[in-house]
Amino acid sequence: MRNEISIGLLGLGTVGSGVATILQQHQEDLRHKLGVQVAIKKVLIKDTTKERLSPLDSSIFTTDIEEVINDPSLDIIVEVMGGMKGAKQAIENALRAGKQVVTANKDVMAEHGHELLKLADEKKCDLFYEASVAGGIPIIRTLEDGLASDRIAGLMGIVNGTTNFILTKMKQENMSYEEALVKATELGFAEADPSSDVDGWDAARKMVILSSLAFSTEVRLEDVLVRGMKEIQAGDLQIAEGFGYTIKMVGSSNKDEDGIEVAVEPILLPNLHPLASVNNEFNAVYIHGEAVGETMLYGPGAGSLPTATSVVSDIIAACRNLLLEVNGKRLHAAQHDLVIKEDKSCFAKYLHRLLVNDQVGVLTQLTAIYSKHGASLQSVMQHPAENEDQAELVLLTHRISREQHLKVIKDIKSMASVISHYRIEGESAT
Amino acid sequence: MRNEISIGLLGLGTVGSGVATILQQHQEDLRHKLGVQVAIKKVLIKDTTKERLSPLDSSIFTTDIEEVINDPSLDIIVEVMGGMKGAKQAIENALRAGKQVVTANKDVMAEHGHELLKLADEKKCDLFYEASVAGGIPIIRTLEDGLASDRIAGLMGIVNGTTNFILTKMKQENMSYEEALVKATELGFAEADPSSDVDGWDAARKMVILSSLAFSTEVRLEDVLVRGMKEIQAGDLQIAEGFGYTIKMVGSSNKDEDGIEVAVEPILLPNLHPLASVNNEFNAVYIHGEAVGETMLYGPGAGSLPTATSVVSDIIAACRNLLLEVNGKRLHAAQHDLVIKEDKSCFAKYLHRLLVNDQVGVLTQLTAIYSKHGASLQSVMQHPAENEDQAELVLLTHRISREQHLKVIKDIKSMASVISHYRIEGESAT
């Protein structure tokens, strides 16, 4: 019986230092849980001159990645270096060297997850990636084990803390998008270049990972419909509120007999929906299981210690498997071929906000467009526009296909301006 | 390599039929996940004459429990018969016979869980009990695995759907307690005798299970401070709302260097607290981890299929262990001796609602009581009472100990009526 498990840590940034801190502080708990010592024995760093607050002794630092991956004394490789190419290669090499691997890398798992999980199965090694989605929320584990017995019909996630923080400030403190972004940057919730967050690609990568797991298939980034939060125009939040809805950047993924539909976009959620009250930088994933009904997991989506908590939970799982000699027994082969639904099979209600010339017959012309495409309307509201000769119209449709929605929007553009348009999820109480 | 796992089902009521249904509907998924067939081979029923909708063939039904537990061909015994004595004995006998056991029985796990888990360890068998707390929410698994790396500082749960449903109706539809209870009974959310729910004992049992797990110690039912929802008086919800709080029946469990404090009682939660928007029959458990910060799991707390989902997830876990031959390797020995905090070490803010005679000097007399016990006040508000000679006072304290709170309440009773009193959790935004 071994009495120690040795870890190689790739990266000692925000998450890496968190992992080192938690492993050190919890030595006693870990020994109680596992019966062995768990110790970091080698650490890949980039810059040897940097001052570090980590509890680790610098004698175990190296700048040579091979020295970590090929060290035969190491049992588990923890990849928290980030980035794409080097990290992917590192995970691949570690698996080929027969190491158990834990990663927090959403970019790698979204683009190469299927391939790497297959390699892990082949090499009979564990590849855990809980921290790659929604930092401190144990969502991967819940989909794999907690709801293992259920068939997931759909899931919706607020999986990007930056955009959720910005939207919360815009709604609760009436800030403009620009003001809220500055605030998010000041507080460290937004990166210097926030485009991956605000354009929806960060959330889309997470939805690739979650959807693949939830539906046991191989979703790819190009399958996700992505609309960024810049689609949200001044006044939209107030208009939504007037109908009893909250605008949130939501990743959604649904499955029915026609296939799977994955999207990341600003949508209208009824105020009473559990996701509507997820505010600030918090994340949440709402799951609709056929048997269990509605469940939701809520928590911090990022941050050094929350993310490190997920990494260390994965390390503990890998340790347990090592001690029982059952690593790599959780086969990842997809059960279903991927079928992405066509626009004509994706149904929802929509809100269309338009600017029209305020003249006789315009409403007739407009509603004729909806009729032409078989899209029936639930309500039409007119507001005065800034320019006296114009009027603002807010139209709510009944359930129509995305194809109908897009055709209507295209035709409307020939006679009016489309200020904004949103998919509506569920019914508001108003 | 075996190609089938056989299950003995004790009980074919609400949860048992749900288990049978899910196992039948998901045969293909299970075979994909596990590589074997999972089949119910024997079922204990009470009444052989009853018509049943279950998909099972009645040839496998028996009224003799020994025939199930002692059948050497069965691998897993699933206890969903409910009740206390017979169920406890059945679990014990099944473990002694070397079976893996899955139970949904909160009463047995709250009163005999420590003993049964020890027996399971001794017999090297699994004893899973996810469905015993918060039906469809994978909370046990999250505490065991998802947050395995974190130290839990506290948890709060809305773990009784009946009382949460009643409180929601009282708040949102202005129903009286009695009206809401009738509604809950009609909808099947309350039992014929609702006392175990409304008096808090159902929630207390769940808190025993959760606290023992979260703090790795052996909490007992008598350690829980329990106040039922009958403590809530007409007008209390409105008064709380005026201060920006929502009244919820909450089980709370906290740990610090002085020990552990476990309570089930109606408390005041800030409206923006994630638990405050958990409505109707839904359950939620809010966890405060030292590293991860705040997380919450939300979902259905009861119901045939949600609860059965948790049971089947446990069955799958037991199957995986059987296939890997690693059952009973998750030792349950408590890491810490139980230390329950004394009242003088439990600190909180309180709201006191009093009825006093409206005469000169009464407020001086009253505040003298608070001063005498070193309890400082944050605010005092006076309302007119029904009787002209009286006044209603609502006092909010600063943080005081439960000992101070109880002494103040006791002394006040000599000069005024105490209508109601509540612990306050956190700060409202108002």
Side-chain angles (χ1 to χ4, degrees):
Chain A
M1 187 83 179
R2 64 168 85 209
N3 55 22
E4 188 171 66
I5 290 174
S6 300
I7 290 174
L9 191 62
L10 303 178
L12 196 56
T14 319
V15 179
S17 328
V19 170
T21 302
I22 292 179
L23 281 179
Q24 205 213 26
Q25 286 177 353
H26 294 197
Q27 274 304 329
E28 198 194 320
D29 297 354
L30 289 173
R31 204 194 311 253
H32 177 83
K33 276 195 178 105
L34 299 166
V36 297
Q37 181 93 9
V38 180
I40 296 175
K41 288 299 180 65
K42 227 162 229 172
V43 183
L44 175 73
I45 56 167
K46 260 196 257 176
D47 180 356
T48 47
T49 60
K50 200 165 148 191
E51 284 273 348
R52 289 171 199 276
L53 290 170
S54 104
L56 299 170
D57 190 297
S58 64
S59 67
I60 62 170
F61 293 174
T62 171
T63 53
D64 178 8
I65 191 165
E66 301 301 326
E67 221 187 286
V68 186
I69 290 174
N70 295 324
D71 182 335
S73 75
L74 299 178
D75 304 293
I76 302 172
I77 300 293
V78 177
E79 186 279 302
V80 285
M81 57 202 272
M84 175 64 89
K85 215 172 152 197
K88 191 245 169 180
Q89 197 58 57
I91 295 171
E92 193 180 323
N93 292 348
L95 290 170
R96 289 195 191 284
K99 309 292 190 194
Q100 319 311 319
V101 176
V102 173
T103 177
N105 198 314
K106 105 193 135 264
D107 299 326
V108 169
M109 288 310 292
E111 302 240 356
H112 306 286
H114 308 308
E115 172 195 340
L116 290 171
L117 286 166
K118 261 175 226 157
L119 178 63
D121 287 354
E122 207 180 295
K123 295 288 169 193
K124 302 216 183 326
C125 289
D126 290 332
L127 171 55
F128 291 123
Y129 54 102
E130 181 65 74
S132 67
V133 180
I137 305 177
I139 178 66
I140 303 287
R141 199 162 261 114
T142 299
L143 288 173
E144 278 195 330
D145 297 340
L147 301 174
S149 54
D150 203 0
R151 228 171 266 145
I152 310 291
L155 50 86
M156 289 201 283
I158 293 179
V159 289
N160 180 275
T162 310
T163 47
N164 200 42
F165 179 86
I166 292 173
L167 277 171
T168 304
K169 291 292 157 194
M170 285 168 72
K171 183 174 175 177
Q172 291 182 351
E173 300 179 22
N174 241 329
M175 287 188 186
S176 69
Y177 166 76
E178 289 74 18
E179 288 167 338
L181 178 58
V182 168
K183 184 90 188 167
T185 313
E186 276 172 19
L187 291 172
F189 297 141
E191 293 178 56
D193 174 7
S195 54
S196 158
D197 292 322
V198 300
D199 293 343
W201 292 101
D202 173 84
R205 291 199 171 87
K206 292 166 182 166
M207 291 310 294
V208 166
I209 299 172
L210 291 182
S211 310
S212 298
L213 186 59
F215 303 126
S216 189
T217 188
E218 300 194 352
V219 178
R220 302 151 308 173
L221 193 56
E222 57 265 38
D223 300 320
V224 188
L225 177 148
V226 181
R227 294 175 70 216
M229 69 177 295
K230 285 175 194 153
E231 306 278 339
I232 303 169
Q233 302 302 315
D236 284 358
L237 275 80
Q238 290 71 28
I239 288 173
E241 185 64 38
F243 289 101
Y245 291 104
T246 301
I247 298 182
K248 289 284 185 189
M249 274 293 283
V250 169
S252 60
S253 185
N254 290 291
K255 184 180 180 178
D256 62 21
E257 60 277 11
D258 292 324
I260 292 175
E261 173 188 0
V262 191
V264 169
E265 55 181 334
I267 67 168
L268 264 55
L269 283 174
N271 287 337
L272 283 178
H273 193 286
L275 283 177
S277 44
V278 174
N279 287 318
N280 296 313
E281 76 279 16
F282 279 92
N283 283 16
V285 181
Y286 174 91
I287 304 163
H288 181 214
E290 280 181 14
V292 81
E294 306 171 18
T295 60
M296 187 174 86
L297 279 75
Y298 165 99
S304 169
L305 289 179
T307 309
T309 299
S310 287
V311 172
V312 178
S313 291
D314 278 351
I315 293 176
I316 293 174
C319 289
R320 283 203 169 113
N321 287 349
L322 277 166
L323 294 168
L324 299 171
E325 301 178 349
V326 294
N327 302 86
K329 299 283 178 151
R330 192 60 83 79
L331 300 186
H332 295 94
Q335 187 179 358
H336 307 286
D337 289 336
L338 178 70
V339 181
I340 294 292
K341 281 166 78 168
E342 296 176 57
D343 283 347
K344 66 177 184 207
S345 312
C346 298
F347 289 89
K349 295 183 173 194
Y350 287 88
L351 179 148
H352 297 161
R353 184 183 173 200
L354 315 175
L355 193 64
V356 299
N357 289 325
D358 195 2
Q359 60 198 36
V360 179
V362 68
L363 204 57
T364 313
Q365 245 181 299
L366 200 61
T367 51
I369 294 176
Y370 284 86
S371 303
K372 180 181 154 200
H373 298 295
S376 72
L377 289 166
Q378 182 182 318
S379 74
V380 180
M381 283 184 74
Q382 185 163 338
H383 300 278
E386 271 185 36
N387 179 332
E388 268 188 18
D389 300 336
Q390 295 184 306
E392 217 184 278
L393 291 176
V394 177
L395 300 99
L396 295 188
T397 73
H398 282 296
R399 273 173 80 81
I400 59 174
S401 71
R402 186 184 293 136
E403 187 180 48
Q404 287 173 299
H405 155 72
L406 291 172
K407 282 183 176 169
V408 165
I409 290 292
K410 188 173 168 232
D411 282 6
I412 288 174
K413 282 183 176 163
S414 67
M415 62 161 289
S417 313
V418 176
I419 303 175
S420 56
H421 56 89
Y422 297 97
R423 189 159 59 86
I424 301 175
E425 188 65 49
E427 295 289 339
S428 85
T430 321
Chain B
M1 186 84 178
R2 65 168 85 207
N3 55 22
E4 188 172 65
I5 290 174
S6 301
I7 291 173
L9 191 61
L10 303 178
L12 195 57
T14 320
V15 180
S17 327
V19 170
T21 303
I22 292 179
L23 281 179
Q24 205 212 28
Q25 286 177 352
H26 294 200
Q27 274 304 332
E28 198 194 320
D29 297 354
L30 289 174
R31 206 194 313 254
H32 176 85
K33 275 194 178 108
L34 298 167
V36 297
Q37 180 94 10
V38 180
I40 296 175
K41 289 299 179 67
K42 228 162 229 172
V43 182
L44 175 73
I45 56 167
K46 259 196 259 175
D47 181 357
T48 46
T49 60
K50 201 167 148 189
E51 284 274 348
R52 290 172 198 276
L53 290 170
S54 103
L56 299 170
D57 190 295
S58 64
S59 67
I60 62 170
F61 293 175
T62 171
T63 53
D64 178 8
I65 191 165
E66 301 301 325
E67 223 188 284
V68 186
I69 290 175
N70 296 324
D71 182 337
S73 74
L74 299 178
D75 304 293
I76 302 172
I77 300 293
V78 177
E79 186 279 302
V80 285
M81 56 203 271
M84 175 63 90
K85 215 172 151 197
K88 190 244 169 181
Q89 197 58 55
I91 295 172
E92 194 180 322
N93 292 348
L95 290 170
R96 289 195 192 283
K99 309 290 188 194
Q100 319 311 320
V101 177
V102 173
T103 177
N105 198 314
K106 104 193 137 266
D107 298 326
V108 169
M109 288 309 292
E111 301 239 356
H112 305 287
H114 308 307
E115 174 195 337
L116 290 171
L117 287 166
K118 261 177 225 156
L119 178 64
D121 288 354
E122 208 181 293
K123 296 288 169 191
K124 303 217 182 321
C125 289
D126 290 332
L127 171 55
F128 291 124
Y129 54 102
E130 182 64 77
S132 67
V133 181
I137 305 177
I139 178 67
I140 303 288
R141 200 162 260 114
T142 299
L143 288 173
E144 277 194 332
D145 297 340
L147 300 173
S149 53
D150 202 0
R151 228 172 266 145
I152 311 292
L155 51 88
M156 287 201 283
I158 293 180
V159 290
N160 180 275
T162 311
T163 48
N164 201 42
F165 179 86
I166 292 173
L167 277 171
T168 304
K169 291 293 157 193
M170 286 169 73
K171 183 175 175 178
Q172 290 181 351
E173 301 179 24
N174 241 329
M175 287 187 187
S176 70
Y177 166 75
E178 289 74 18
E179 288 167 337
L181 177 59
V182 168
K183 184 93 188 163
T185 313
E186 276 172 19
L187 291 172
F189 296 143
E191 293 177 56
D193 174 7
S195 53
S196 158
D197 293 322
V198 300
D199 293 343
W201 292 101
D202 173 83
R205 291 198 173 87
K206 292 165 181 164
M207 292 309 295
V208 166
I209 299 172
L210 292 182
S211 310
S212 297
L213 187 58
F215 303 127
S216 189
T217 187
E218 301 193 353
V219 178
R220 301 152 306 172
L221 193 56
E222 58 264 37
D223 300 320
V224 188
L225 177 146
V226 180
R227 293 175 70 217
M229 69 176 296
K230 285 176 192 151
E231 306 278 339
I232 303 170
Q233 302 302 314
D236 284 358
L237 274 81
Q238 291 71 27
I239 288 172
E241 185 65 39
F243 288 102
Y245 291 103
T246 302
I247 298 182
K248 290 282 187 190
M249 274 293 283
V250 168
S252 60
S253 185
N254 291 290
K255 183 180 181 177
D256 63 19
E257 59 279 9
D258 292 324
I260 292 175
E261 173 189 0
V262 190
V264 169
E265 54 181 334
I267 67 167
L268 265 56
L269 283 174
N271 287 337
L272 284 177
H273 192 286
L275 282 177
S277 44
V278 174
N279 287 319
N280 296 314
E281 75 280 15
F282 279 92
N283 282 16
V285 181
Y286 174 91
I287 304 162
H288 182 213
E290 279 181 15
V292 81
E294 305 171 20
T295 61
M296 186 174 86
L297 279 75
Y298 165 99
S304 170
L305 289 178
T307 308
T309 299
S310 286
V311 172
V312 178
S313 291
D314 278 352
I315 293 176
I316 294 174
C319 289
R320 282 202 170 112
N321 286 349
L322 276 166
L323 294 168
L324 299 171
E325 300 179 350
V326 294
N327 302 87
K329 299 284 178 151
R330 192 62 83 78
L331 299 186
H332 295 94
Q335 188 179 358
H336 307 286
D337 289 336
L338 178 71
V339 182
I340 295 292
K341 280 166 77 168
E342 296 176 57
D343 284 346
K344 66 177 185 207
S345 312
C346 298
F347 289 89
K349 294 182 173 196
Y350 287 88
L351 179 147
H352 297 161
R353 183 181 172 201
L354 316 175
L355 192 65
V356 298
N357 289 323
D358 195 5
Q359 60 197 37
V360 178
V362 68
L363 203 58
T364 314
Q365 246 181 300
L366 199 62
T367 51
I369 293 177
Y370 285 86
S371 305
K372 180 181 153 199
H373 298 295
S376 71
L377 288 165
Q378 183 182 317
S379 75
V380 180
M381 283 184 72
Q382 185 162 338
H383 300 279
E386 272 186 36
N387 179 333
E388 268 189 16
D389 300 338
Q390 294 185 307
E392 216 184 277
L393 290 176
V394 177
L395 301 100
L396 295 188
T397 73
H398 282 295
R399 272 173 80 78
I400 60 174
S401 72
R402 186 184 294 137
E403 187 179 48
Q404 287 173 299
H405 155 73
L406 291 172
K407 282 183 175 169
V408 165
I409 290 291
K410 188 172 168 232
D411 281 6
I412 288 173
K413 284 183 175 163
S414 67
M415 62 161 292
S417 312
V418 176
I419 302 175
S420 56
H421 56 90
Y422 296 96
R423 188 159 59 86
I424 301 174
E425 188 66 47
E427 294 289 339
S428 85
T430 322

